[in-house]
Amino acid sequence: MKFLKMLGKLKRLKILQFLAFSSSVLLLLSACSQQKQTKSAFAPKIVKSKPSESNSKTKSTPTKGKAIDSSINPKRTATVIAVYAAKKYGSDWQKTLTEEKENGIAVAVKNSEYFPHVPSSFGVVYQIGDHEVLYTLKQVGQDNVVYLYTNNGMKELGQATFRTMSQYLKENGWDYLISKYVRKTKIFDLRISPKLMSQKMQGDVGAFIMPLAMRGNWYSYFNKHMNTTTIGLNYTIDNGEKYELHRIDDRFFEHKTYGEMSKDYQIRTENWKMTGELSRKIHGIRWINFRAWMQGAGDGIYFGLHSEMGQPVLVAASGASIATDQIYWKTPQLALQNKNKEFSDLYYLR
Protein backbone atom coordinates (compact mmCIF):
# COMPACT_ATOMS: atom_id res chain seq x y z
CA MET A 1 0.00 0.00 0.00
CA LYS A 2 2.81 2.38 0.91
CA PHE A 3 4.54 1.41 -2.31
CA LEU A 4 1.47 2.42 -4.40
CA LYS A 5 1.23 5.79 -2.62
CA MET A 6 4.92 6.50 -3.32
CA LEU A 7 4.45 5.53 -6.95
CA GLY A 8 1.55 7.96 -7.23
CA LYS A 9 3.59 10.79 -5.75
CA LEU A 10 6.43 10.15 -8.19
CA LYS A 11 4.06 10.29 -11.16
CA ARG A 12 2.58 13.58 -9.98
CA LEU A 13 6.08 15.04 -9.46
CA LYS A 14 7.16 14.09 -12.98
CA ILE A 15 4.02 15.59 -14.43
CA LEU A 16 4.66 18.89 -12.56
CA GLN A 17 8.30 18.95 -13.70
CA PHE A 18 7.20 18.36 -17.28
CA LEU A 19 4.65 21.17 -17.09
CA ALA A 20 7.25 23.55 -15.60
CA PHE A 21 9.74 22.65 -18.32
CA SER A 22 7.12 23.15 -21.02
CA SER A 23 6.21 26.57 -19.62
CA SER A 24 9.89 27.63 -19.61
CA VAL A 25 10.30 26.56 -23.22
CA LEU A 26 7.19 28.47 -24.26
CA LEU A 27 8.35 31.64 -22.42
CA LEU A 28 11.78 31.41 -24.02
CA LEU A 29 10.33 30.96 -27.51
CA SER A 30 7.96 33.88 -26.93
CA ALA A 31 10.81 36.15 -25.74
CA CYS A 32 12.95 35.22 -28.75
CA SER A 33 10.04 35.96 -31.08
CA GLN A 34 9.49 39.39 -29.44
CA GLN A 35 13.18 40.22 -29.51
CA LYS A 36 13.35 39.33 -33.20
CA GLN A 37 10.33 41.51 -33.96
CA THR A 38 11.79 44.42 -31.93
CA LYS A 39 15.14 44.26 -33.74
CA SER A 40 13.52 44.16 -37.16
CA ALA A 41 11.25 47.10 -36.32
CA PHE A 42 13.63 49.40 -34.38
CA ALA A 43 17.22 48.36 -35.11
CA PRO A 44 19.24 51.43 -36.22
CA LYS A 45 20.66 51.54 -39.70
CA ILE A 46 24.42 51.38 -40.04
CA VAL A 47 25.67 54.42 -41.91
CA LYS A 48 29.18 54.35 -43.28
CA SER A 49 30.82 57.77 -43.21
CA LYS A 50 33.94 58.99 -44.91
CA PRO A 51 36.93 59.40 -42.60
CA SER A 52 37.30 63.00 -41.43
CA GLU A 53 40.57 64.89 -41.66
CA SER A 54 41.26 64.35 -37.95
CA ASN A 55 40.64 60.58 -38.24
CA SER A 56 42.98 60.22 -41.16
CA LYS A 57 45.91 61.66 -39.22
CA THR A 58 48.35 59.60 -37.24
CA LYS A 59 47.81 59.04 -33.53
CA SER A 60 50.64 61.39 -32.59
CA THR A 61 48.97 64.37 -34.27
CA PRO A 62 47.49 66.91 -31.80
CA THR A 63 43.71 67.28 -31.99
CA LYS A 64 42.43 70.86 -31.72
CA GLY A 65 39.86 71.62 -29.05
CA LYS A 66 39.76 68.08 -27.65
CA ALA A 67 38.45 67.84 -24.11
CA ILE A 68 40.80 66.27 -21.58
CA ASP A 69 38.60 63.26 -20.85
CA SER A 70 34.82 63.05 -20.80
CA SER A 71 34.98 60.68 -17.85
CA ILE A 72 36.84 63.23 -15.70
CA ASN A 73 34.92 65.94 -13.89
CA PRO A 74 35.94 69.31 -15.46
CA LYS A 75 36.18 70.94 -12.03
CA ARG A 76 38.52 68.21 -10.80
CA THR A 77 40.60 68.55 -13.97
CA ALA A 78 41.02 72.30 -13.47
CA THR A 79 41.84 71.83 -9.78
CA VAL A 80 44.51 69.21 -10.47
CA ILE A 81 46.13 71.48 -13.06
CA ALA A 82 46.07 74.54 -10.77
CA VAL A 83 47.55 72.70 -7.77
CA TYR A 84 50.18 70.96 -9.91
CA ALA A 85 51.32 74.23 -11.53
CA ALA A 86 51.44 76.02 -8.17
CA LYS A 87 53.60 73.27 -6.64
CA LYS A 88 55.76 72.73 -9.72
CA TYR A 89 56.41 76.34 -10.77
CA GLY A 90 55.37 78.52 -7.80
CA SER A 91 55.49 82.26 -8.57
CA ASP A 92 52.33 83.52 -10.33
CA TRP A 93 50.64 80.12 -10.16
CA GLN A 94 51.21 79.82 -6.40
CA LYS A 95 50.06 83.41 -5.90
CA THR A 96 46.89 82.73 -7.91
CA LEU A 97 46.09 79.53 -6.01
CA THR A 98 46.56 81.33 -2.68
CA GLU A 99 44.24 84.15 -3.75
CA GLU A 100 41.61 81.80 -5.19
CA LYS A 101 41.41 79.12 -2.51
CA GLU A 102 39.12 81.06 -0.16
CA ASN A 103 36.29 81.68 -2.65
CA GLY A 104 37.14 78.85 -5.01
CA ILE A 105 39.25 78.52 -8.15
CA ALA A 106 37.53 80.47 -10.95
CA VAL A 107 38.29 79.23 -14.46
CA ALA A 108 37.25 81.32 -17.49
CA VAL A 109 37.10 79.49 -20.83
CA LYS A 110 37.98 81.95 -23.61
CA ASN A 111 38.90 82.10 -27.29
CA SER A 112 42.65 81.75 -27.79
CA GLU A 113 42.73 84.79 -30.12
CA TYR A 114 42.74 87.04 -27.05
CA PHE A 115 46.11 85.59 -25.95
CA PRO A 116 48.69 86.33 -28.65
CA HIS A 117 51.48 84.34 -26.96
CA VAL A 118 49.36 81.16 -27.14
CA PRO A 119 49.37 79.38 -30.55
CA SER A 120 46.02 79.95 -32.27
CA SER A 121 45.76 76.23 -33.10
CA PHE A 122 44.68 75.56 -29.52
CA GLY A 123 41.38 77.34 -30.08
CA VAL A 124 40.51 77.51 -26.39
CA VAL A 125 42.30 78.96 -23.37
CA TYR A 126 41.50 78.30 -19.69
CA GLN A 127 42.31 81.37 -17.60
CA ILE A 128 42.50 81.13 -13.82
CA GLY A 129 42.08 84.00 -11.41
CA ASP A 130 42.76 87.64 -12.09
CA HIS A 131 44.38 87.51 -15.55
CA GLU A 132 47.63 86.02 -14.25
CA VAL A 133 47.90 82.38 -15.36
CA LEU A 134 46.31 80.11 -17.94
CA TYR A 135 46.55 76.74 -19.59
CA THR A 136 45.62 75.05 -22.85
CA LEU A 137 45.39 71.41 -23.80
CA LYS A 138 45.65 69.01 -26.70
CA GLN A 139 45.21 65.30 -27.11
CA VAL A 140 48.42 63.75 -28.46
CA GLY A 141 47.93 60.06 -29.19
CA GLN A 142 46.39 58.52 -26.10
CA ASP A 143 47.68 61.21 -23.78
CA ASN A 144 46.11 64.53 -22.80
CA VAL A 145 48.89 67.15 -22.75
CA VAL A 146 48.40 70.32 -20.70
CA TYR A 147 50.44 73.44 -21.61
CA LEU A 148 50.97 75.90 -18.75
CA TYR A 149 51.44 79.64 -19.23
CA THR A 150 51.92 82.80 -17.25
CA ASN A 151 50.69 86.13 -18.60
CA ASN A 152 53.50 88.02 -16.87
CA GLY A 153 56.33 87.67 -19.33
CA MET A 154 53.96 86.04 -21.83
CA LYS A 155 55.68 82.68 -21.88
CA GLU A 156 55.05 78.95 -21.70
CA LEU A 157 56.30 77.47 -18.44
CA GLY A 158 56.08 73.82 -19.38
CA GLN A 159 53.84 70.95 -20.33
CA ALA A 160 52.80 67.62 -18.86
CA THR A 161 50.17 64.94 -19.31
CA PHE A 162 47.23 64.91 -16.94
CA ARG A 163 48.34 61.51 -15.63
CA THR A 164 51.82 62.86 -14.91
CA MET A 165 50.31 65.75 -12.95
CA SER A 166 48.14 63.45 -10.84
CA GLN A 167 51.07 61.14 -10.16
CA TYR A 168 53.34 64.05 -9.21
CA LEU A 169 50.84 65.30 -6.62
CA LYS A 170 50.32 61.80 -5.24
CA GLU A 171 54.05 61.05 -4.93
CA ASN A 172 54.66 64.31 -3.06
CA GLY A 173 51.69 63.94 -0.72
CA TRP A 174 49.74 66.88 -2.18
CA ASP A 175 46.81 64.97 -3.66
CA TYR A 176 44.71 65.73 -0.55
CA LEU A 177 44.56 69.36 -1.78
CA ILE A 178 42.41 68.30 -4.72
CA SER A 179 39.44 67.24 -2.61
CA LYS A 180 40.01 70.35 -0.47
CA TYR A 181 39.68 72.80 -3.39
CA VAL A 182 37.50 71.01 -5.95
CA ARG A 183 34.18 71.67 -4.21
CA LYS A 184 34.57 75.43 -4.68
CA THR A 185 36.03 75.36 -8.20
CA LYS A 186 33.87 77.23 -10.73
CA ILE A 187 34.04 77.19 -14.54
CA PHE A 188 32.65 80.02 -16.69
CA ASP A 189 32.34 79.55 -20.45
CA LEU A 190 33.16 82.93 -22.01
CA ARG A 191 33.86 81.71 -25.53
CA ILE A 192 32.48 83.86 -28.32
CA SER A 193 30.73 82.10 -31.19
CA PRO A 194 31.53 83.19 -34.78
CA LYS A 195 27.88 84.24 -35.16
CA LEU A 196 28.07 86.51 -32.12
CA MET A 197 31.49 87.78 -33.19
CA SER A 198 30.07 89.07 -36.48
CA GLN A 199 27.16 90.96 -34.90
CA LYS A 200 27.23 94.72 -34.46
CA MET A 201 26.81 95.47 -30.76
CA GLN A 202 24.60 98.18 -29.32
CA GLY A 203 26.44 101.36 -28.39
CA ASP A 204 29.52 100.58 -30.48
CA VAL A 205 30.39 103.39 -32.90
CA GLY A 206 33.55 101.82 -34.24
CA ALA A 207 37.16 101.06 -33.44
CA PHE A 208 39.39 103.61 -31.71
CA ILE A 209 42.55 104.08 -33.80
CA MET A 210 45.70 104.57 -31.74
CA PRO A 211 48.23 107.26 -32.75
CA LEU A 212 51.09 105.87 -34.82
CA ALA A 213 53.75 107.13 -32.38
CA MET A 214 52.19 105.10 -29.55
CA ARG A 215 52.15 101.77 -31.38
CA GLY A 216 54.63 99.02 -30.59
CA ASN A 217 55.97 97.24 -27.51
CA TRP A 218 56.57 99.14 -24.27
CA TYR A 219 58.32 97.89 -21.11
CA SER A 220 58.16 98.89 -17.44
CA TYR A 221 59.99 97.25 -14.54
CA PHE A 222 57.57 97.52 -11.65
CA ASN A 223 57.04 95.50 -8.44
CA LYS A 224 59.92 93.19 -9.38
CA HIS A 225 58.25 92.32 -12.69
CA MET A 226 59.01 93.28 -16.26
CA ASN A 227 55.59 94.40 -17.45
CA THR A 228 54.89 94.55 -21.17
CA THR A 229 52.23 96.55 -23.00
CA THR A 230 51.73 96.30 -26.74
CA ILE A 231 49.72 98.93 -28.59
CA GLY A 232 48.36 98.12 -32.03
CA LEU A 233 46.15 99.85 -34.55
CA ASN A 234 42.97 99.34 -32.51
CA TYR A 235 43.99 97.02 -29.69
CA THR A 236 46.26 96.69 -26.69
CA ILE A 237 47.96 93.65 -25.18
CA ASP A 238 48.41 94.05 -21.44
CA ASN A 239 50.52 91.39 -19.73
CA GLY A 240 49.55 88.80 -22.30
CA GLU A 241 45.85 89.50 -22.82
CA LYS A 242 44.46 91.25 -25.89
CA TYR A 243 41.76 93.94 -25.67
CA GLU A 244 39.83 95.55 -28.50
CA LEU A 245 39.54 99.35 -28.42
CA HIS A 246 36.08 100.75 -29.18
CA ARG A 247 34.35 104.13 -29.09
CA ILE A 248 30.95 104.26 -27.39
CA ASP A 249 27.79 106.16 -28.28
CA ASP A 250 27.34 108.69 -25.45
CA ARG A 251 23.54 108.64 -25.75
CA PHE A 252 23.51 104.86 -25.39
CA PHE A 253 25.90 105.01 -22.42
CA GLU A 254 23.75 107.60 -20.64
CA HIS A 255 20.66 105.39 -20.64
CA LYS A 256 22.04 101.85 -20.33
CA THR A 257 24.05 99.96 -17.71
CA TYR A 258 26.23 96.92 -18.22
CA GLY A 259 24.07 94.87 -15.85
CA GLU A 260 21.01 95.44 -18.05
CA MET A 261 22.66 93.89 -21.10
CA SER A 262 22.21 90.26 -22.11
CA LYS A 263 24.70 87.55 -21.22
CA ASP A 264 25.72 87.27 -24.89
CA TYR A 265 26.39 91.02 -24.98
CA GLN A 266 28.54 90.83 -21.86
CA ILE A 267 30.52 87.87 -23.19
CA ARG A 268 31.10 89.55 -26.55
CA THR A 269 32.37 92.77 -24.94
CA GLU A 270 34.34 91.16 -22.10
CA ASN A 271 37.63 91.98 -23.86
CA TRP A 272 36.62 95.44 -25.05
CA LYS A 273 37.92 98.73 -23.73
CA MET A 274 35.89 101.91 -23.89
CA THR A 275 38.45 104.31 -25.32
CA GLY A 276 38.61 108.06 -25.84
CA GLU A 277 41.10 110.93 -26.07
CA LEU A 278 40.90 113.85 -23.66
CA SER A 279 40.13 117.18 -25.31
CA ARG A 280 43.04 119.04 -23.68
CA LYS A 281 46.43 118.41 -22.18
CA ILE A 282 46.69 117.73 -18.44
CA HIS A 283 50.10 117.93 -16.71
CA GLY A 284 51.52 118.75 -20.13
CA ILE A 285 50.45 115.44 -21.70
CA ARG A 286 47.66 114.52 -24.13
CA TRP A 287 46.01 111.46 -22.56
CA ILE A 288 44.00 108.56 -23.92
CA ASN A 289 41.60 107.01 -21.41
CA PHE A 290 40.80 103.27 -21.25
CA ARG A 291 37.97 101.79 -19.23
CA ALA A 292 36.14 98.49 -19.25
CA TRP A 293 33.25 98.55 -21.70
CA MET A 294 30.28 100.45 -20.18
CA GLN A 295 32.23 100.99 -16.95
CA GLY A 296 30.28 103.46 -14.83
CA ALA A 297 32.26 104.12 -11.65
CA GLY A 298 36.01 104.63 -11.64
CA ASP A 299 38.42 106.57 -13.80
CA GLY A 300 40.10 103.73 -15.65
CA ILE A 301 43.70 104.11 -16.78
CA TYR A 302 45.43 106.72 -18.95
CA PHE A 303 48.30 106.43 -21.43
CA GLY A 304 50.17 109.46 -22.66
CA LEU A 305 53.19 109.87 -24.93
CA HIS A 306 56.11 111.83 -23.46
CA SER A 307 59.90 111.90 -23.43
CA GLU A 308 62.51 111.52 -20.69
CA MET A 309 66.31 111.63 -20.97
CA GLY A 310 65.98 111.99 -24.72
CA GLN A 311 63.95 108.79 -24.99
CA PRO A 312 60.27 108.36 -25.91
CA VAL A 313 58.25 107.02 -22.98
CA LEU A 314 54.67 105.95 -22.44
CA VAL A 315 53.33 107.31 -19.16
CA ALA A 316 50.62 105.27 -17.42
CA ALA A 317 48.42 107.18 -14.98
CA SER A 318 45.21 106.71 -13.00
CA GLY A 319 42.72 108.38 -10.66
CA ALA A 320 40.72 111.57 -10.90
CA SER A 321 43.94 113.61 -10.78
CA ILE A 322 45.62 111.49 -13.50
CA ALA A 323 48.68 110.75 -11.37
CA THR A 324 51.63 108.85 -12.83
CA ASP A 325 51.81 105.15 -11.93
CA GLN A 326 54.41 103.67 -14.25
CA ILE A 327 56.71 104.72 -17.09
CA TYR A 328 57.11 102.42 -20.08
CA TRP A 329 60.23 102.43 -22.23
CA LYS A 330 60.96 101.10 -25.71
CA THR A 331 63.34 98.36 -24.53
CA PRO A 332 63.54 96.09 -21.46
CA GLN A 333 67.09 97.37 -20.86
CA LEU A 334 65.93 100.98 -20.52
CA ALA A 335 63.08 99.90 -18.26
CA LEU A 336 65.50 98.07 -15.96
CA GLN A 337 68.00 100.95 -15.92
CA ASN A 338 65.31 103.46 -14.96
CA LYS A 339 63.27 101.40 -12.51
CA ASN A 340 61.89 103.34 -9.52
CA LYS A 341 62.96 106.67 -11.00
CA GLU A 342 60.69 109.69 -10.64
CA PHE A 343 60.94 112.68 -12.97
CA SER A 344 60.29 116.28 -12.00
CA ASP A 345 58.14 117.06 -15.05
CA LEU A 346 55.62 114.31 -14.21
CA TYR A 347 52.78 114.55 -11.70
CA TYR A 348 52.81 111.92 -8.93
CA LEU A 349 50.30 111.37 -6.17
CA ARG A 350 52.09 112.27 -2.91
Side-chain angles (χ1 to χ4, degrees), residues 114-244:
Y114 290 111
F115 302 89
H117 59 297
V118 177
S120 59
S121 60
F122 283 105
V124 174
V125 164
Y126 301 82
Q127 187 178 43
I128 298 180
D130 188 22
H131 309 279
E132 297 290 343
V133 294
L134 50 93
Y135 66 90
T136 57
L137 58 94
K138 282 185 180 179
Q139 186 176 35
V140 181
Q142 300 302 312
D143 288 320
N144 300 297
V145 181
V146 181
Y147 299 77
L148 300 161
Y149 293 83
T150 175
N151 276 354
N152 286 327
M154 297 188 292
K155 61 183 179 181
E156 179 187 325
L157 293 176
Q159 54 186 264
T161 65
F162 186 74
R163 283 181 291 181
T164 299
M165 292 179 169
S166 300
Q167 190 63 30
Y168 175 83
L169 295 177
K170 186 175 181 181
E171 288 175 354
N172 289 279
W174 292 318
D175 52 338
Y176 76 94
L177 292 171
I178 306 306
S179 57
K180 180 180 177 182
Y181 296 145
V182 72
R183 290 190 300 274
K184 291 185 177 181
T185 296
K186 298 175 288 291
I187 298 177
F188 305 94
D189 194 344
L190 301 180
R191 284 173 290 183
I192 302 169
S193 68
K195 181 180 178 181
L196 186 61
M197 186 77 78
S198 63
Q199 290 179 3
K200 178 173 173 58
M201 309 306 290
Q202 277 185 286
D204 178 24
V205 291
F208 183 92
I209 306 302
M210 293 297 292
L212 183 62
M214 274 194 181
R215 298 178 205 170
N217 295 326
W218 298 88
Y219 305 90
S220 171
Y221 193 84
F222 186 74
N223 284 342
K224 299 181 179 180
H225 275 292
M226 184 65 73
N227 299 314
T228 305
T229 289
T230 300
I231 296 179
L233 176 69
N234 60 344
Y235 66 87
T236 63
I237 302 171
D238 299 328
N239 288 325
E241 189 160 6
K242 186 176 180 179
Y243 296 90
E244 299 175 23

Side-chain angles (χ1 to χ4, degrees), residues 2 31 52 85 103 108 163 172 191 202 228 303 307 338 344:
K2 288 182 179 180
S52 64
N103 296 316
R163 283 181 291 181
N172 289 279
R191 284 173 290 183
Q202 277 185 286
T228 305
F303 280 155
S307 63
N338 294 284
S344 59

Side-chain angles (χ1 to χ4, degrees), residues 295-308:
Q295 177 184 335
D299 302 292
I301 62 170
Y302 298 84
F303 280 155
L305 199 61
H306 197 50
S307 63
E308 296 292 353

Side-chain angles (χ1 to χ4, degrees), residues 5 46 77-78 99 138 142 163 220 275 285 322 324 339:
K5 286 182 178 180
I46 298 175
T77 298
E99 291 173 349
K138 282 185 180 179
Q142 300 302 312
R163 283 181 291 181
S220 171
T275 314
I285 296 174
I322 313 182
T324 300
K339 65 178 181 179

